């Protein structure tokens, strides 16, 4: 008999079942077996995203479920209500088969549907014995509570999967921005050793990360700017400031230097402290500024050679420049 579809809701995501839930279900099945006084318990949970697959858990046997049992279990699924056979010997049309290659055929069967929050069947809990049996009201109550526990574990797994999916999506987006940012994010230990760097260091500066991580930051800094960087680290270490902004030159893989600006913070931990910095290339800004300064010097020299007075005022009529002729007068 073809296993019936348990659900047509393809929007549901796979809820099953991480390894940490294996022990949870094994404990529940053992509890049901002991309290119901039956040797065989079988839990079948359908994969919501793929009706051809299922997750099976059992206590008391190691062989596959027989076709006869599958037929009975399918009946529980289709009817969506408990199906109990106290004594199959009294019904010539009911065949339960054998378990564990035993010569004793199963006589007792009780199957209970497991539903989701929408009331759709997502699995079954079956208990079996080789002798006839009648479940007491207390045993039925225990089974009902166990099914509620299974449903709770399933919903917990489902919510966990949704959370994991959300976290993975956010992590993917973060990693994308992190690795494609125009800013390099890095970490230094107390001795100035680079202990971490974002992958875009290679894109921006050219060095492979294995050349960077484990090296002292001073290996990449222009010799004239090392003292400036060391002073910033010292100020942070002494907690004189919470963060420091540094401008310096850093060497690219091909050997030339470019200007960088870093915002550096110190992070305290139980094991000590480390520095976190994010830096960006400001070479164009520095070169533009230097060009303007050069142009200013050029025009000042021209104005200072003029025999006439030259004065420049701001909007408040205050002098901001006087050439040499004006100053002499």
């Amino acid at each position: 008999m073809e296993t019936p579809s348990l659900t047509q809701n393809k929007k549901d995501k796979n809820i099953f079942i991480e390894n940490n839930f294996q022990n949870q279900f094994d404990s529940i099945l053992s509890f049901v077996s002991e309290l119901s006084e039956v040797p065989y318990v079988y839990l079948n949970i359908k994969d919501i995203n793929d009706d051809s697959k299922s997750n099976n858990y059992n206590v008391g046997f190691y062989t596959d479920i027989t076709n006869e049992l599958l037929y009975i279990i399918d009946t529980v699924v289709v009817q969506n209500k408990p199906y109990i056979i106290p004594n199959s010997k009294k019904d010539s049309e009911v065949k339960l088969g054998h378990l564990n290659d035993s010569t004793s055929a199963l006589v007792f069967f009780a199957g209970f549907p497991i539903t989701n929050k929408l009331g759709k069947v997502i699995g079954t809990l079956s208990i079996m014995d080789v002798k006839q049996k009648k479940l007491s009201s207390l045993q039925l109550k225990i089974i009902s509570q166990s099914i509620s526990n299974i449903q709770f574990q399933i919903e917990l797994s489902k919510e966990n999967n949704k959370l994991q999916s959300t976290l993975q999506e956010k992590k993917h987006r973060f990693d994308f921005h992190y690795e494609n940012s125009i800013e390099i994010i890095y970490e230094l230990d107390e001795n100035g050793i680079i202990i971490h760097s974002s992958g875009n260091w290679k894109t921006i500066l050219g060095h492979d990360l294995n050349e960077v991580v484990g090296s002292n930051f001073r290996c990449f800094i222009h010799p004239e700017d090392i003292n400036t960087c060391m002073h910033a680290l010292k100020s942070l270490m002494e907690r004189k400031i919470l963060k420091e902004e540094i401008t310096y030159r850093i060497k690219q893989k091909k050997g030339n230097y470019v200007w960088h600006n870093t915002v550096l913070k110190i992070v305290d931990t139980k094991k000590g402290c480390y520095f976190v910095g994010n830096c960006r290339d400001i070479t164009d800004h520095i070169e533009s500024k230097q060009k303007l300064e050069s142009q200013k010097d050029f025009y000042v020299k021209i104005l200072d050679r003029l025999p006439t007075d030259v004065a420049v005022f701001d909007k408040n009529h205050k002098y901001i420049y006087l050439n040499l002729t004006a100053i002499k007068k």
Side-chain angles (χ1 to χ4, degrees), residues 87-128:
N87 186 357
S88 63
K89 292 181 179 180
K90 293 184 178 181
D91 190 343
S92 59
E93 294 184 1
V94 176
K95 302 293 182 183
L96 298 178
H98 300 70
L99 288 177
N100 292 344
D101 300 324
S102 172
T103 56
S104 299
L106 294 172
V107 175
F108 168 80
F109 172 88
F112 304 87
I114 299 172
T115 58
N116 60 16
K117 290 182 178 180
L118 300 177
K120 294 182 178 181
V121 179
I122 58 173
T124 57
L125 175 66
S126 304
I127 61 175
M128 298 156 283

Side-chain angles (χ1 to χ4, degrees), residues 43-106:
L43 174 64
N44 172 266
I45 302 293
K46 285 293 180 179
D47 187 324
I48 289 178
N49 285 332
D50 188 348
D51 295 334
S52 66
K53 296 180 180 179
S54 62
N55 299 276
N56 305 317
Y57 304 87
N58 55 274
V59 167
F61 64 96
Y62 52 82
T63 57
D64 293 333
I65 290 292
T66 63
N67 290 332
E68 292 90 345
L69 273 177
L70 285 177
Y71 181 87
I72 301 298
I73 292 172
D74 289 342
T75 302
V76 177
V77 172
V78 172
Q79 294 181 354
N80 191 7
K81 62 181 182 180
Y83 182 34
I84 300 176
I85 304 172
N87 186 357
S88 63
K89 292 181 179 180
K90 293 184 178 181
D91 190 343
S92 59
E93 294 184 1
V94 176
K95 302 293 182 183
L96 298 178
H98 300 70
L99 288 177
N100 292 344
D101 300 324
S102 172
T103 56
S104 299
L106 294 172

Side-chain angles (χ1 to χ4, degrees), residues 8-256:
Q8 297 299 323
N9 187 1
K10 298 302 182 180
K11 292 182 181 179
D12 284 345
K13 293 187 177 180
N14 188 356
I15 65 176
F16 303 106
I17 283 175
E18 293 98 1
N19 290 334
N20 57 321
F21 283 95
Q22 173 78 47
N23 292 336
Q24 292 285 348
F25 288 124
D26 287 347
S27 297
I28 293 172
L29 298 189
S30 296
F31 177 76
V32 170
S33 174
E34 181 179 353
L35 273 294
S36 301
E37 299 177 326
V38 295
Y40 309 123
V41 183
Y42 176 71
L43 174 64
N44 172 266
I45 302 293
K46 285 293 180 179
D47 187 324
I48 289 178
N49 285 332
D50 188 348
D51 295 334
S52 66
K53 296 180 180 179
S54 62
N55 299 276
N56 305 317
Y57 304 87
N58 55 274
V59 167
F61 64 96
Y62 52 82
T63 57
D64 293 333
I65 290 292
T66 63
N67 290 332
E68 292 90 345
L69 273 177
L70 285 177
Y71 181 87
I72 301 298
I73 292 172
D74 289 342
T75 302
V76 177
V77 172
V78 172
Q79 294 181 354
N80 191 7
K81 62 181 182 180
Y83 182 34
I84 300 176
I85 304 172
N87 186 357
S88 63
K89 292 181 179 180
K90 293 184 178 181
D91 190 343
S92 59
E93 294 184 1
V94 176
K95 302 293 182 183
L96 298 178
H98 300 70
L99 288 177
N100 292 344
D101 300 324
S102 172
T103 56
S104 299
L106 294 172
V107 175
F108 168 80
F109 172 88
F112 304 87
I114 299 172
T115 58
N116 60 16
K117 290 182 178 180
L118 300 177
K120 294 182 178 181
V121 179
I122 58 173
T124 57
L125 175 66
S126 304
I127 61 175
M128 298 156 283
D129 202 340
V130 293
K131 57 185 179 181
Q132 68 180 32
K133 184 175 182 61
K134 182 178 179 180
L135 295 172
S136 68
S137 58
L138 177 60
Q139 289 172 327
L140 287 171
K141 183 178 180 180
I142 291 172
I143 291 172
S144 177
Q145 291 174 342
S146 298
I147 289 174
S148 296
N149 195 357
I150 292 171
Q151 290 169 325
F152 172 77
Q153 296 297 334
I154 289 171
E155 291 300 324
L156 184 63
S157 179
K158 183 177 181 179
E159 292 302 317
N160 180 63
N161 281 357
K162 287 182 178 179
L163 178 61
Q164 290 292 333
S165 178
T166 300
L167 291 176
Q168 286 294 330
E169 182 180 351
K170 289 184 177 180
K171 181 179 183 300
H172 176 75
R173 292 172 62 183
F174 173 80
D175 288 345
F176 176 81
H177 292 298
Y178 180 71
E179 296 298 338
N180 292 279
S181 171
I182 62 172
E183 295 188 356
I184 298 172
I185 300 174
Y186 62 92
E187 297 175 5
L188 308 176
D189 68 9
E190 298 176 69
N191 299 313
I193 303 299
I194 301 172
I195 56 178
H196 174 76
S197 172
S198 54
N200 57 351
W201 181 301
K202 179 176 176 60
T203 304
I204 295 171
L205 294 172
H207 309 95
D208 290 327
L209 287 186
N210 58 11
E211 300 178 81
V212 176
V213 176
S215 299
N216 194 294
F217 81 97
R218 287 178 291 186
C219 298
F220 304 97
I221 305 300
H222 192 287
E224 295 177 2
D225 299 328
I226 290 178
N227 286 339
T228 300
C229 296
M230 294 299 296
H231 177 74
L233 293 179
K234 183 180 179 181
S235 297
L236 287 169
M237 286 285 290
E238 295 174 351
R239 306 306 192 273
K240 293 180 179 179
I241 52 177
L242 297 178
K243 67 177 181 179
E244 180 70 288
E245 188 170 350
I246 321 165
T247 298
Y248 54 89
R249 286 159 288 182
I250 188 169
K251 183 185 293 185
Q252 290 186 317
K253 175 76 172 181
K254 54 188 177 182
N256 62 304

Side-chain angles (χ1 to χ4, degrees), residues 295-312 320-329:
Q295 290 176 341
K296 176 184 175 182
D297 291 342
F298 174 76
Y299 288 114
V300 166
K301 289 179 181 179
I302 294 176
L303 293 174
D304 283 344
R305 292 178 182 179
L306 294 176
T308 57
D309 300 350
V310 178
V312 181
I320 59 174
Y321 171 75
L322 291 172
N323 70 347
L324 292 178
T325 303
I327 293 172
K328 290 177 181 179
K329 291 185 177 182

